[in-house]
Amino acid sequence: MNSHVSAALIEAPEQAGADEVVRLVDVRRHFGATAALDGISLTVRKGEIVGIIGRSGAGKSTLIRCLNGLERPDGGEIKIEGSSIVGLSEADLQPLRRRVGMIFQHFNLLAAKTVEENVALPLKIAGVAKAERLERAHDLLDLVGLADKAKAYPASLSGGQKQRVGIARALAARPALLLSDEATSALDPETTRSILALLKDINRKLGLTILLITHEMEVVRTIADRVAVIDAGRIVEEGQVWSVFADPKTPISRSLLSGSRPQLPEHIAARLLPTAGSEAILSIDLAGPEAHGALFADLSSALPHSFRLVHGGIEHIQNQPVARFFIAVPVRDPTLKDKVEQFLTARSARVEVLGYDTDHV
Ligand SMILES: Nc1ncnc2c1ncn2[C@@H]1O[C@H](COP(=O)(O)OP(=O)(O)O)[C@@H](O)[C@H]1O
Ligand SMILES: [Mg+2]
């Protein structure tokens, strides 16, 4: 199309949001005194996978329901592919619903219909001829690895297979956006990984934009590019997944992350003393270029005494090193702890003295 060509050649200001699949501005939804959504602003660009994470009751499902038109906001603006959907009539919402596919925690398949009929259903509703919709269903079943289950009924499938059918069905009408509301919450960890790998694969192959809602940080870490943390109907933190993992700014983010990051082992944490001991126990958080393995060799050679590595390591999130270590520094040289802190903070690490230990054997 012409508009795409001109957007690529000239940076016309009106084209600035051309790759925005979702744009939310100050979206509000109240239920009586409860502000389920209390002013949500968020943009999702084409091809992105954005995770929205929050505790139960934070407003995640309400947000998703506003995006597919099942719920109407009391205020704010919602645009899908540049078109406002707030205030549309039911009839005018129909074309939009075809641009937005959705997968659910409990799959929502029709038990009395075969797998291929379930996948083809959105096309049947859209008035697509039978031969064409079955062909499309078979292509999609191929894509999700279930070509041999076309004639099966949902009851004969495992949870992971049911969700694959759900994904195929969600893609039937070639949506611009896939919404996922806790789509892996009912699955075991291994099946969860395979479903997330499938979603990532579809994202890469089709350039599909995905907005997923979850209460599990592992889901976000595995596939999202960006994450927004939602609490009491507000986005309290937003950023690249690796940077939120490396340096969560809010208590709610830290608490959601706590199961996904190294923690000081319980038996050591339990015996820490607040003010005195033979060793200071420090936590070290750093990410990006400084978080490489040579850090410890450099630190060792900068110090007159040796320190002990207690726990932790480096992981890679979105190809970025994200490190958290716990070290024990002897306190017989009173300047040592300060030297360690100086060395590390000069490298943008966050250093915290957790307490003192007397017995490390
Ligand atoms: N239809 C409704 N009627 C009344 N309260 C609702 C309704 N839907 C959601 N809520 C309330 O809005 C808040 C957010 O709910 P929800 O969006 O389902 O959160 P989440 O999906 O994050 O668990 C909760 O306090 C919930 O009780
Ligand atoms: Mg929910």
Side-chain angles (χ1 to χ4, degrees):
M1 258 163 61
N2 261 344
S3 60
H4 289 163
V5 173
S6 62
L9 295 178
I10 328 155
E11 289 262 294
E14 62 268 30
Q15 295 289 337
D19 68 341
E20 286 174 3
V21 177
V22 176
R23 185 179 188 80
L24 301 172
V25 183
D26 200 25
V27 173
R28 293 166 188 276
R29 178 69 169 107
H30 289 74
F31 296 105
T34 306
L37 301 178
D38 192 19
I40 297 275
S41 297
L42 180 75
T43 299
V44 182
R45 289 188 185 77
K46 187 164 171 34
E48 262 193 315
I49 303 182
V50 174
I52 294 186
I53 189 163
R55 291 181 181 141
S56 176
K60 305 183 295 295
S61 295
T62 305
L63 181 61
I64 275 228
R65 291 166 59 79
C66 283
L67 277 169
N68 63 15
L70 289 174
E71 192 81 71
R72 289 174 186 275
D74 314 321
E77 178 63 278
I78 301 178
K79 285 184 174 176
I80 306 280
E81 293 185 295
S83 303
S84 176
I85 67 164
V86 174
L88 289 186
S89 67
E90 264 306 302
D92 290 339
L93 269 175
Q94 289 314 314
L96 158 90
R97 291 220 174 93
R98 285 199 280 279
R99 302 300 296 152
V100 179
M102 174 119 180
I103 53 175
F104 306 88
Q105 181 172 3
H106 298 295
F107 323 122
N108 298 15
L109 302 179
L110 296 180
K113 298 215 176 280
T114 62
V115 162
E116 65 181 10
E117 287 167 344
N118 267 283
V119 173
L121 192 63
L123 299 176
K124 189 175 182 183
I125 294 168
V128 175
K130 186 168 183 184
E132 190 184 334
R133 62 183 192 248
L134 283 181
E135 191 188 333
R136 174 89 180 130
H138 290 162
D139 286 350
L140 286 164
L141 287 171
D142 241 356
L143 180 73
V144 301
L146 282 183
D148 56 332
K149 298 288 184 192
K151 305 286 182 203
Y153 284 87
S156 69
L157 304 180
S158 69
Q161 290 172 330
K162 285 179 190 162
Q163 195 55 290
R164 283 169 191 269
V165 177
I167 291 169
R169 180 186 55 191
L171 298 178
R174 302 179 198 276
L177 173 68
L178 179 68
L179 300 175
S180 161
D181 190 355
E182 301 280 6
T184 57
S185 296
L187 304 175
D188 62 71
E190 195 184 330
T191 310
T192 291
R193 279 193 291 277
S194 81
I195 292 295
L196 294 178
L198 174 64
L199 289 175
K200 186 95 200 175
D201 189 46
I202 290 170
N203 162 261
R204 287 206 190 104
K205 273 189 190 145
L206 309 181
L208 183 71
T209 310
I210 302 177
L211 181 62
L212 57 91
I213 298 258
T214 179
H215 66 281
E216 295 171 299
M217 264 301 175
E218 284 309 305
V219 169
V220 166
R221 165 155 71 184
T222 307
I223 68 164
D225 304 307
R226 255 189 324 129
V227 60
V229 181
I230 181 174
D231 187 39
R234 304 186 134 260
I235 291 178
V236 294
E237 186 160 357
E238 189 197 334
Q240 295 247 297
V241 171
W242 74 270
S243 75
V244 173
F245 265 76
D247 189 11
K249 305 281 188 213
T250 59
I252 178 90
S253 308
R254 282 194 280 277
S255 127
L256 287 165
L257 271 168
S258 62
S260 302
R261 302 301 324 279
Q263 303 296 326
L264 190 64
E266 197 59 50
H267 71 283
I268 300 175
R271 68 178 189 229
L272 286 191
L273 302 166
T275 51
S278 59
E279 291 179 320
I281 304 293
L282 276 56
S283 70
I284 303 163
D285 277 285
L286 75 169
E290 299 285 3
H292 54 70
L295 180 82
F296 281 100
D298 296 350
L299 178 58
S300 281
S301 47
L303 296 178
H305 304 290
S306 62
F307 63 91
R308 278 190 317 118
L309 182 56
V310 175
H311 188 68
I314 304 178
E315 61 184 315
H316 292 256
I317 302 174
Q318 298 180 291
N319 303 327
Q320 289 284 345
V322 176
R324 168 173 277 184
F325 293 102
F326 299 89
I327 64 171
V329 178
V331 294
R332 61 180 181 277
D333 171 355
T335 66
L336 193 59
K337 184 167 69 62
D338 294 341
K339 285 180 184 151
V340 171
E341 288 198 66
Q342 267 171 27
F343 177 92
L344 290 167
T345 45
R347 282 157 183 79
S348 315
R350 281 174 298 123
V351 184
E352 196 182 333
V353 180
L354 301 177
Y356 296 84
D357 197 4
T358 44
D359 169 25
H360 67 257
V361 222

